[in-house]
């Protein structure tokens, strides 16, 4: 079978409600197979990408009478609008045909959360996506073949799993083992999830039911774990088996596995923050997605002739998708992008990812063998495995670990023994898996369907009952960050309902998560009228963003937040329509607005709106982290802060969101990037889950290296930064300045003495009398240029820091230049000096000096203070919330806020002042020249002397030029008989003097003591 490239399609959706509310601009265009992305800031040229298909679904559509969205012929873009049918015809039909032919197929959906992945893959209502259309078609074609007298036996088996934080969960069961399912490897068929439910189905309705069940279980699990569903990958596998007799009369099985993969959101958060964090391996939330990117990059390199290792074994996702990407499968990727300007970076990242994927090549083969042969091969394999296990003859192959369990050079005996044990476990499991497969092959499919239907009957009865209750009872239903998971959990209101956690007295509605109290809330009433109130004064309870202080009547679609993570909507069954369900983001925005956060988008730039989205997204997670800390008394608080580029030590860039982390007892504080916080939060959730299961038996003594709340006092932290401009070098003058050091919140925390001096090649600093100043920086082009940077020291830094050092980096520095670390003082003297050489200065160098700058970053270790008394996290957090407004006012009144633009003006003013002094000095020399000419009754001064005096390097040279005035040509009487000078005249330079001039050959300047000079500074 020849190689076949991965087929890649890109689809752009319409604006969503939030983007329309923010007056977003469309930055995507499509022409044929080309996708064009325009930078909203205008800094880069439009990016162009070519794919197998570029689907325009932004506009140009209209709904028909049934609600199906198709092309609108009256719209300018009606002809290029792509509907669901076209996507299926281009992509889904190929997957369907592959299944009939016995090829494995995989369909990926990739893109940021909310980009429209589910729209293409699943769709909704009559606008069905690829998956439901594929399932409908395959059953329709089976029925057609059976009606035509075909004797082939057709089997369809459904499975559904989720990967979250490197744990695999079977979505067709209500509970999974702690730590998730194990991933095993079969030498013949590759990786698989041990014990995954394989459910036989006989109709599309059965598949639809199982998908809904899987989504229900996924929602419940996400709610119980407080998991961020947008970080989970979902894999739906449909196994299609055709059993028939071949020409020789032997029963033959043709098998195709179709994997439908909905990847986690490709957020920009995945690109930042966690590097260097000691817990990055423990918080593996992004590992699968980053590993998938590494595999795609390696496979693309291999397809282009390079030979590099493909790291399939680095994550659970890439193990399970190894065949889809690098083996026996025909593969399709749909990359979904947002059209909005505020999502430019994410859309660009998605397009680059897809561009790499299209370079991958796979080799698919037809999976067709006589059943008897397959059973015989499995039996032979089992006999071999059994003999090895019973005789102890398991041998570990040698290698580098790339191809499985392999003995590597330099391993200790203990390591080898551990590997052997692991390999024996793999063989034992492979033996059991082979037995299961043989039993399946020999089992009658009708019997399998009957057993599945019987086992599913209790679930079907519960679902039918709930569907009936929805018609007659009011209820609470969940809101989830992932819209596909909203509305799946329902708590029906039948009489009074107590709400609390799973500890203590049993509640009618048991909610998981931090900040849910044993007795949290109470809903009372009867059909048509329900009231919500707190069961404890300390309970956090919000309705439509506002705190509940007294019994509150519930109205249809009221949003209720229990604690910090459990968000529900009150549904009046007499008024409910599915399309009316509020969005999670809107509910969170009203909570933020109620808390005083600015949610107004008027006059905000795309960057500011994007930053606002980041803040709105992270606030619930910060509340959750504070709640977990409070519940477990971890002595740590979290707070969102917006940090400018200069404050985080960068020359330029947009403001970014960080999390300020404080230990209330030791005083240690750190600024975590968003992704580091999220990674730590996932570990916090795991830790709290264990604590919540049984708080009394929970062993709270966790090793510091595994505790997400622990901060290392020996870790170097960024204290502050200062920006130094190089403009003085453009004029060959020095800069000696004491500059403000600003911290993460742009507050002054000290000063630093910085000097920049032009110097000789030997490092000698020019003296004032050398006066190497140039008025025009272009005079330096072509010269060898030397200068020194001195970082003398810092003063007034906070006393909580120790072992303080500074570092900076000019464009010519390969690595940062670092001072020594000074301990025992908050006023370190570094006395760092480094000389630089720019040979043969260019225009580019001059521009760098004129407008360039560098950051000096100050680092140090924190002094962890011993707590004077034990503090209670819960009490301290409540104090902080109560005094938040007063604290903000006090901080602003005491600390000096620094504007980086003012720092630039300050340094420019220093340079301008120095230039002014230098120019005034030369002006005085020129005046001395004119006075000397006047004293000698010179009516004319040669222009060469004027130029020479303005370019004189020092006063000694200027005196020599002034003294030469007596030797220069020029008429006039001696000073002793001088009369009032005549009006000034200038020669025209061509030898013909104007009226009143002498006929000297040099250009000359007529002298008048009333002449004034204007300098443009």
């Amino acid at each position: 079978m020849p190689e076949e490239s991965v087929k890649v399609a890109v689809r752009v959706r319409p604006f969503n409600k939030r983007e329309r509310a923010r007056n977003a601009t469309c930055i995507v265009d499509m022409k044929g197979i080309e996708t064009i992305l325009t930078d909203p800031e205008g800094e880069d040229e439009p990016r162009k990408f070519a794919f197998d298909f570029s689907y325009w679904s932004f506009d140009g559509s209209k709904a028909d009478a049934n609600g199906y969205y198709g092309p609108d012929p009256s719209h300018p873009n009606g002809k290029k609008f792509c509907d669901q049918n076209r996507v299926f015809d281009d992509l889904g039909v190929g997957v369907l045909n592959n299944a009939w032919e016995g090829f494995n197929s995989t369909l990926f959906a990739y893109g940021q959360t909310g980009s429209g992945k589910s729209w293409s893959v699943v769709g909704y209502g009559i606008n069905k996506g690829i998956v439901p259309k594929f399932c409908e078609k395959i059953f329709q074609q089976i029925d057609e073949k059976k009606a035509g007298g075909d004797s082939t036996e057709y089997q369809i088996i459904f499975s559904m799993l989720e990967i979250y934080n490197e744990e695999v969960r079977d979505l067709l069961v209500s509970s999974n083992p702690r730590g998730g399912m194990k991933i095993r490897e079969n030498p013949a068929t590759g990786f698989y999830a041990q014990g995954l439910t394989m459910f036989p189905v006989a109709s599309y309705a059965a598949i639809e039911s199982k998908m809904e069940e899987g989504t229900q279980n996924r929602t419940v699990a996400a709610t119980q774990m407080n998991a961020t569903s947008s970080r989970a990958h979902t894999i739906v596998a449909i196994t299609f088996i055709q059993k028939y007799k071949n020409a020789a009369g032997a029963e033959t099985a043709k098998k195709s596995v179709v994997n439908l993969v909905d990847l986690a959101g490709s957020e920009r958060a995945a690109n930042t923050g966690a590097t260097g964090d000691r817990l990055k391996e423990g918080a593996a939330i992004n590992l699968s997605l980053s590993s998938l990117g590494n595999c795609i990059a390696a496979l693309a390199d291999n397809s282009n002739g390079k030979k590099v290792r493909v790291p399939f074994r680095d994550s659970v996702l890439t193990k399970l998708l190894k065949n889809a990407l690098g083996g026996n499968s025909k593969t399709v990727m749909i990359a979904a992008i947002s059209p909005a300007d505020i999502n430019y970076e994410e859309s660009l990242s998605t397009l680059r990812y897809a561009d790499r994927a299209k370079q991958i090549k796979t080799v698919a083969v037809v999976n067709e063998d006589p059943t008897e042969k397959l059973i015989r091969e499995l039996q032979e394999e089992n006999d071999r495995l059994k003999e090895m296990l019973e005789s102890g003859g398991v041998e570990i192959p040698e290698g580098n670990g790339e191809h499985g369990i392999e003995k590597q050079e330099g391993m200790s005996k203990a390591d080898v023994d551990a590997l052997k044990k692991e390999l024996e476990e793999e063989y034992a499991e492979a033996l059991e898996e082979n037995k299961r497969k043989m039993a399946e092959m020999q089992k009658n499919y009708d019997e399998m369907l009957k057993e599945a239907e019987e086992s599913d009957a209790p679930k079907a009865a519960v679902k039918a009952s709930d569907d009936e209750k929805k018609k007659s009872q009011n209820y609470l239903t969940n809101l989830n960050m992932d819209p596909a998971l909203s509305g799946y959990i329902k708590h029906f209101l039948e009489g009074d309902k107590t709400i609390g956690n799973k500890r203590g007295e049993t509640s009618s509605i048991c909610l998981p998560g931090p900040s849910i109290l044993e007795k949290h809330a109470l809903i009372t009433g009867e059909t048509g009228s329900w009231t919500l109130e707190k069961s404890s004064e300390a309970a956090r309870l919000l309705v439509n963003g506002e705190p509940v202080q007294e019994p509150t009547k519930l109205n249809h679609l009221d949003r209720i937040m229990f604690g910090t993570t459990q968000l529900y909507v009150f549904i009046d069954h007499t008024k409910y329509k599915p399309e009316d369900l509020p969005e999670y983001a809107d509910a969170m925005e009203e909570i933020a607005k109620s808390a005083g956060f600015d949610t107004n988008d008027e006059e905000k730039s795309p960057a500011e709106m994007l930053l606002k989205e980041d803040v709105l997204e992270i606030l619930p997670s910060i509340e959750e982290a504070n709640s977990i800390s409070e519940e477990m008394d971890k002595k740590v608080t979290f707070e969102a802060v917006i940090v400018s580029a200069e404050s985080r030590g960068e020359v330029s860039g947009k403001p970014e969101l960080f999390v300020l982390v404080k230990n209330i007892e030791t005083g240690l504080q750190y600024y975590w990037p968003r992704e580091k916080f999220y990674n730590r939060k996932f570990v916090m959730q795991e830790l709290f889950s264990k604590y919540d299961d049984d708080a009394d038996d929970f062993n709270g003594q966790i090793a510091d290296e595994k505790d997400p709340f622990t901060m290392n006092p020996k870790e170097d932290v960024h204290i502050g930064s200062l920006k130094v401009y190089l403009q003085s070098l453009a004029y060959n003058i020095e800069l000696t300045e004491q500059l403000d050091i600003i911290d993460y919140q742009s507050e002054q925390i000290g000063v630093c003495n910085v000097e920049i001096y032009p110097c000789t090649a030997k490092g000698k600093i020019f003296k004032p009398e050398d006066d190497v100043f140039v008025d025009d920086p272009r005079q330096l082009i072509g010269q060898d240029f030397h200068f020194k940077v001195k970082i003398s020291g810092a003063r007034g830094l906070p006393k909580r820091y120790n072992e303080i050092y500074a570092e900076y980096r000019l464009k010519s520095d390969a690595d940062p230049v670092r001072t020594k670390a000074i301990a025992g003082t908050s006023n370190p003297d570094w006395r760092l000096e480094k000389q630089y050489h720019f040979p043969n200065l260019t225009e580019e160098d001059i521009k760098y000096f004129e407008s360039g700058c560098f950051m000096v970053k100050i680092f140090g270790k924190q002094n962890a203070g011993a707590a004077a008394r034990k503090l209670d996290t819960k009490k301290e957090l409540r104090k902080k919330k109560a005094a938040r407004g007063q604290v903000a006012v006090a901080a602003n009144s005491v600390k000096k806020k620094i504007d980086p633009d003012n720092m630039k003006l300050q340094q420019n003013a220093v340079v301008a002042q120095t230039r002014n002094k230098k120019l005034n000095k030369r002006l005085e020399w020129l005046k001395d020249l004119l006075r000397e000419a006047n004293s000698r009754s010179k009516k004319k001064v040669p222009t060469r002397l004027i130029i020479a005096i303005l370019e004189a390097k020092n006063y000694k040279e200027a005196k020599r030029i002034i003294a030469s005035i007596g030797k220069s040509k020029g008429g006039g009487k001696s000073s002793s008989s001088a009369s009032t000078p005549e009006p000034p005249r200038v020669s025209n330079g061509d030898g013909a003097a104007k009226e009143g001039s002498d006929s000297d050959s040099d250009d000359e300047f007529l002298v008048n003591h009333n002449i004034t000079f204007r300098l443009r500074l």
Side-chain angles (χ1 to χ4, degrees), residues 57-75:
S57 299
F58 174 69
D59 62 8
S61 71
K62 68 175 182 179
D64 63 16
N66 296 318
Y68 179 79
Y69 283 91
D72 179 2
S74 66
H75 192 281

Side-chain angles (χ1 to χ4, degrees), residues 2 35 47 132 177 234 269 423 462 627 658 692 721 745 826 894 986:
T35 297
R47 308 294 183 94
T234 307
L423 191 59
V462 170
S627 296
F658 279 67
D692 199 35
S721 306
Q745 298 188 57
S826 58
V894 174
V986 181

Side-chain angles (χ1 to χ4, degrees), residues 475 477 556-557 571-581:
Y475 57 93
T477 191
H556 180 51
L557 299 182
I571 300 296
D572 182 336
H573 72 279
T574 64
K575 301 177 181 178
Y576 180 61
K577 297 177 183 177
E579 60 269 23
D580 293 339
L581 192 68

